[in-house]
Amino acid sequence: MNLWTLFAIARARTPQKEALEFVNVESGNAPIRMSYEELYTQAERWATAFAQMGLRKGDRVAFFLGNRPEFVIAYLAVLRAGAIMVPINLRYRRMEIYHILNDCTPRFLVTEKAQEPILAELTSTDLGGVERILAVDAVDEWLSPVETQRPPLVHGEDLALIMYTSGTTGRSKGAMISHNNVLATVTGLMAAWAWQADDVILLPLPLFHVHGLVVGLHCALASGATVRLRPKFDAEETIDVLAHGGATLFFGVPTLYVRLLDLLERMDPKPDFNRMRLFCSGSAPLAAETYIAFEDLTGHRILERYGMTETGMNLSNPYIGPRVPGSVGTPLPGVFARIVDGQNHELAPGSEGELLVRGSNVFDGYWNDKEKTAASFSVDEAGIRWFHTGDLAVQDPESGYVTLLGRRHELIISGGFNIYPREIEELLLSYPGIRDAAVIGAPHPEWGEVPLACLVCEGEIDEISLVNWCKSQLASFKVPRHFRYVNELPRNAMGKVLKHLLK
Ligand code: MLC
Ligand code: AMP
């Protein structure tokens, strides 16, 4: 079994069913619709073209493109060809793209014409040996009519994805995710959330992350459901689609719910989402106030779940049964979780500690990084390997529900995107006049958290120039929103900045 066969089963069952609908409100273009059969045929054709251009099993293919039907076609084609998809956050800029391409050395870079100005800033060194840049909206240039070839045998243990996720060292690490890992999350969620073939999901989340790609797209395609894909989130259009019975499911990061609420509060009369059967939230903590306000305004209780790039989905509130605001529920089918102290001893329910997980959903390690892989796992008394999530948690002794309390590491989550302070600190330190820098997360009503930089400077710094310079190097959501100037940073005897004091 692999992810292509999972999709092929759905296509064999209902070939004429609509798999994908794509609407770009800004462009005003007519919707694009594809049946399971059409998606299958196109993906096969692209897989053959990739193979003819020299793509082999195990090769990496980087994706730098927005949500669009061709993303799905190309991705399925990569899986069919036995290659590994490496998605890149579209907001990433030169430094970040350079690191990913040079770390996993993809043979092809799949992109779109709109990204050409950004890619034009990359030198051949930045591209890390990419042999071909394939724009999905210029297929005439590379998609020649070809005979279908016999695809390679792809096993469940083979890698499907390398997804870059923030690293403690400042540079992101490539999580190696197998077909089986994704299958485990998908089958677990299909059972837990009662996915059905007549489900329709409105999906504006980016396909370059686990949330959009695995929880949204793969679950839908495996269920024979319909995906209403959007290039970006638009609160007005979302409410319009949901109020007209256009979907049964909606998944968002908390920022999306904050924006929906903002609009819903101003609407009179309130829309009726009566075809909707499930609103889910994840990727960052959903504030209890958001949960309550959403229920008050819509009558729907948001189902909060918890996952990670490295593990897919781990815990979830129940589909049937009480959903508790502020809690992430219990382990999904096939997932095992425990909460441990600093010596990796399992704690009794009610005690706070680090959350460890294991299961077929958990990845095997980081690409080219045995050291960080080893540091992320531990082996228990029975010889079983557990992944250290870095998230602090407590389990309710009565209900068994888990509540997340924060993170062991310094990760900042802004609107569902991860930011590692170290990466920004290193950049700030290379700016003339900055002697020392520390970045922390500041609370923000819409984004959850935003980066705030504490700087020790020689003389005055022009903040506007500094911000513009940072934006030219990094994704703009990582650029500090606030600056504070201090004479020195509080450090412990080891020289480590005491960030809790800065906060
Ligand atoms: C955009 N901006 C952000 C931001 N996204 N700032 C802070 N945090 C963010 N997340 C900034 C841009 O830098 C830009 O700033 C300005 O907002 C407008 O950009 P935009 O691209 O037009 O924004 P918008 O389309 O409105 O995007 C907001 C968003 C997006 C919430 C829709 O951030 C998003 O799709 N987030 C979801 C991320 C996600 O799917 N995470 C899942 C990770 S998987 P400027 O200065 O340039 O104007 C995972 C596992 C799990 O964590 O459990 O699911
Ligand atoms: P990523 O590396 O992008 O996959 O982010 C994973 C991290 O997102 C987890 O380690 C958590 O810290 C956070 N996260 C995901 N879901 C939730 C949630 N429901 N509540 C709080 N934090 C979450």
Side-chain angles (χ1 to χ4, degrees):
M1 191 63 158
N2 62 52
L3 291 171
W4 172 263
T5 42
L6 189 71
F7 165 64
I9 290 168
R11 168 257 185 177
R13 216 165 29 201
T14 49
Q16 299 317 323
K17 175 103 194 285
E18 187 171 288
L20 204 61
E21 178 222 56
F22 179 74
V23 175
N24 184 343
V25 179
E26 275 172 19
S27 77
N29 292 340
I32 298 171
R33 297 179 204 283
M34 294 184 83
S35 66
Y36 272 83
E37 185 63 28
E38 284 163 334
L39 189 54
Y40 182 95
T41 311
Q42 287 282 352
E44 266 212 319
R45 192 169 161 223
W46 286 40
T48 309
F50 288 161
Q52 294 218 330
M53 287 186 277
L55 192 72
R56 294 290 168 263
K57 188 175 166 183
D59 285 344
R60 275 80 58 209
V61 182
F63 276 45
F64 189 66
L65 83 158
N67 284 6
R68 52 191 298 157
E70 296 89 340
F71 189 120
V72 184
I73 299 169
Y75 169 51
L76 290 170
V78 167
L79 296 175
R80 172 68 158 165
I84 305 166
M85 202 263 276
V86 185
I88 301 177
N89 188 325
L90 255 199
R91 292 173 179 86
Y92 280 3
R93 294 296 172 261
R94 204 190 68 81
M95 263 179 56
E96 295 137 320
I97 302 174
Y98 162 87
H99 168 65
I100 294 175
L101 296 183
N102 280 274
D103 192 55
C104 73
T105 57
R107 301 220 20 216
F108 299 168
L109 173 61
V110 175
T111 185
E112 58 196 338
K113 285 184 193 160
Q115 309 309 331
E116 273 166 10
I118 293 158
L119 295 177
E121 287 174 20
L122 303 182
T123 63
S124 60
T125 317
D126 294 337
L127 286 169
V130 164
E131 289 164 28
R132 283 174 189 266
I133 298 183
L134 305 170
V136 297
D137 39 5
V139 278
D140 300 346
E141 291 168 19
W142 56 270
L143 190 70
S144 50
V146 282
E147 304 254 316
T148 306
Q149 288 179 342
R150 205 172 158 163
L153 194 59
V154 181
H155 302 280
E157 305 78 46
D158 291 329
L159 291 186
L161 300 160
I162 297 179
M163 292 186 115
Y164 279 78
T165 180
S166 316
T168 36
T169 51
R171 289 262 175 262
S172 56
K173 307 165 282 189
M176 299 190 286
I177 300 164
S178 68
H179 287 255
N180 276 345
N181 296 150
V182 177
L183 282 164
T185 283
V186 169
T187 49
L189 290 181
M190 282 166 73
W193 297 351
W195 272 91
Q196 297 144 20
D198 57 5
D199 272 321
V200 180
I201 181 167
L202 179 64
L203 188 63
L205 287 172
L207 292 176
F208 53 71
H209 271 319
V210 162
H211 200 161
L213 189 78
V214 174
V215 187
L217 181 75
H218 269 300
C219 284
L221 293 184
S223 308
T226 300
V227 180
R228 305 189 79 171
L229 186 69
R230 297 295 183 267
K232 64 182 293 189
F233 173 70
D234 175 333
E236 272 173 38
E237 199 234 353
T238 299
I239 290 180
D240 192 46
V241 171
L242 304 188
H244 288 91
T248 59
L249 300 166
F250 180 79
F251 299 168
V253 299
T255 302
L256 268 52
Y257 287 103
V258 171
R259 289 189 183 176
L260 286 176
L261 273 180
D262 183 50
L263 198 57
L264 285 167
E265 270 157 12
R266 287 181 277 124
M267 287 175 86
D268 187 27
K270 304 293 179 214
D272 185 353
F273 299 147
N274 58 16
R275 195 185 168 203
M276 283 297 292
R277 68 170 186 88
L278 188 59
F279 284 92
C280 285
S281 174
S283 310
L286 179 76
E289 305 88 78
T290 309
Y291 174 99
I292 293 163
F294 198 79
E295 185 180 3
D296 286 348
L297 286 176
T298 67
H300 287 272
R301 295 183 177 172
I302 300 171
L303 183 157
E304 186 171 7
R305 57 55 177 182
Y306 157 74
M308 274 183 95
T309 302
E310 290 92 333
T311 63
M313 296 304 109
N314 294 315
L315 292 110
S316 170
N317 271 278
Y319 179 60
I320 295 168
R323 297 178 193 163
V324 178
S327 159
V328 291
T330 55
L332 282 158
V335 181
F336 299 84
R338 50 161 44 178
I339 295 171
V340 299
D341 65 14
Q343 282 72 48
N344 291 341
H345 295 134
E346 187 164 9
L347 293 166
S351 303
E352 299 174 5
E354 188 186 5
L355 183 63
L356 312 192
V357 293
R358 70 178 178 88
S360 307
N361 57 308
V362 176
F363 81 137
D364 215 38
Y366 298 107
W367 179 259
N368 272 341
D369 208 330
K370 291 212 169 75
E371 216 173 286
K372 285 197 199 97
T373 302
S376 306
F377 288 89
S378 66
V379 175
D380 69 10
E381 41 307 321
I384 294 169
R385 194 172 176 243
W386 293 84
F387 175 65
H388 285 247
T389 64
D391 289 308
L392 301 173
V394 62
Q395 187 184 25
D396 185 282
E398 263 144 54
S399 65
Y401 282 29
V402 171
T403 296
L404 299 174
L405 303 166
R407 291 174 292 269
R408 270 187 58 198
H409 308 299
E410 297 170 355
L411 177 71
I412 299 169
I413 305 185
S414 172
F417 286 146
N418 287 359
I419 303 173
Y420 248 98
R422 179 82 180 269
E423 184 182 25
I424 309 167
E425 288 161 3
E426 280 172 15
L427 183 72
L428 290 170
L429 285 172
S430 69
Y431 193 78
I434 297 183
R435 268 203 298 122
D436 211 352
V439 172
I440 54 177
H444 190 277
E446 182 185 359
W447 299 117
E449 292 178 288
V450 289
L452 176 154
C454 300
L455 302 178
V456 179
C457 301
E458 282 155 12
E460 289 237 333
I461 292 279
D462 176 19
E463 262 178 33
I464 294 173
S465 314
L466 175 61
V467 164
N468 287 337
W469 178 77
C470 288
K471 280 191 178 174
S472 70
Q473 309 281 320
L474 287 177
S476 62
F477 65 86
K478 295 183 187 170
V479 176
R481 298 292 176 100
H482 309 283
F483 294 91
R484 296 284 181 276
Y485 300 91
V486 291
N487 291 330
E488 64 180 324
L489 294 174
R491 290 181 185 274
N492 67 12
M494 313 282 287
K496 191 174 170 346
V497 177
L498 299 167
K499 294 215 168 161
H500 60 282
L501 290 184
L502 282 178
K503 286 208 177 201

